[in-house]
Amino acid sequence: MMSDLSATDRDVSRETSERLSALEGLLRKWNPAVNLVSKESLKDARTRHIVDSQQLYTLAPRDFHRWVDLGSGGGFPGLVVAILAAEQNPEAEVILVESDQRKAAFLQQAARALGVKATVHAERIETLSPMKADVLSARALAALPALCRFAERHLEPGGVAIFPKGANHQAEIAEAQQSHDFSVSVLPSVTDKDAAILVLKKIKAR
């Protein structure tokens, strides 16, 4: 894992690397009170959460205008996206959706502390007004059929959805294809040999 981390860190500026480290510090500070991520995963937070989120950014169009992260939780990938966009795509809009009020409060305070642009919506995904995202992400939120329904509502027709998934990703794809048509690229995860990143386009209910 360390080789992946080192390679990822070389791709960003010192300021961005410092912000990512600051995010890890905020996560460790807040987690005992708010339970942002599992205690076990906190032991290797840099790889499990930060590098795992960074890889999603590399799969998105470089010139995206609005990235919407559903169920942002502890800020993964949403806050990581906001940090990377501050350097690489500063005009972009990053929106984090998190219905848990305490987690949403963390996201707002963390964005301010990190000095990055991120709008937080403390609302349920199902009732949120359509977000018109050209990039949509969700990490450890729901099964793929539900994510496709969310994408129908919040993703622009020409947009791309990026969903990291675990070892059962092929079964989730097959299940989602029962209710939706879409094109999908299955890419290997740099942080988990059994996991994959699903990049979906042209999502439409059957």
Side-chain angles (χ1 to χ4, degrees):
M1 293 305 178
M2 288 306 296
S3 60
D4 294 327
L5 172 58
S6 299
T8 305
D9 274 358
R10 283 199 298 270
D11 291 337
V12 300
S13 68
R14 180 177 178 180
E15 181 180 9
T16 295
S17 183
E18 288 174 350
R19 278 175 164 157
L20 293 171
S21 295
L23 172 57
E24 182 180 354
L26 289 169
L27 178 67
R28 294 183 184 282
K29 178 181 178 180
W30 279 67
N31 204 64
V34 185
N35 193 30
L36 299 164
V37 300
S38 71
K39 186 177 180 180
E40 181 64 26
S41 72
L42 200 59
K43 295 176 182 177
D44 189 19
R46 188 77 177 198
T47 298
R48 291 281 297 275
H49 298 296
I50 294 177
V51 175
D52 195 52
S53 296
Q54 282 179 269
Q55 68 178 327
L56 306 189
Y57 190 94
T58 67
L59 301 176
R62 290 289 181 177
D63 59 348
F64 69 87
H65 299 293
R66 175 177 289 183
W67 185 311
V68 177
D69 183 42
L70 302 177
S72 293
F76 307 108
L79 283 177
V80 174
V81 168
I83 289 170
L84 296 173
E87 174 187 348
Q88 301 179 28
N89 191 3
E91 300 303 315
E93 184 178 12
V94 180
I95 297 174
L96 315 183
V97 180
E98 176 52 60
S99 62
D100 184 299
Q101 297 295 320
R102 294 197 305 164
K103 291 179 181 179
F106 164 76
L107 294 171
Q108 290 170 332
Q109 292 196 36
R112 283 196 295 270
L114 296 166
V116 297
K117 293 191 304 180
T119 302
V120 180
H121 289 277
E123 302 178 46
R124 292 189 60 79
I125 298 165
E126 299 86 347
T127 58
L128 187 68
S129 298
M131 288 285 94
K132 299 181 179 179
D134 51 352
V135 182
L136 190 74
S137 61
R139 181 175 180 262
L141 175 66
L144 192 58
L147 294 179
C148 286
R149 291 193 296 272
F150 296 154
E152 277 188 89
R153 181 175 180 84
H154 296 296
L155 186 66
E156 285 282 81
V160 58
I162 304 175
F163 302 137
K165 284 292 177 181
N168 66 336
H169 54 272
Q170 291 292 353
E172 288 198 45
I173 292 172
E175 183 182 0
Q177 287 172 333
Q178 300 299 311
S179 57
H180 289 81
D181 290 318
F182 50 83
S183 66
V184 58
S185 298
V186 181
L187 305 171
S189 169
V190 302
T191 60
D192 183 343
K193 64 180 178 62
D194 295 322
I197 312 300
L198 308 185
V199 180
L200 277 67
K201 299 179 180 178
K202 301 177 182 177
I203 303 168
K204 186 177 181 181
R206 289 189 167 182

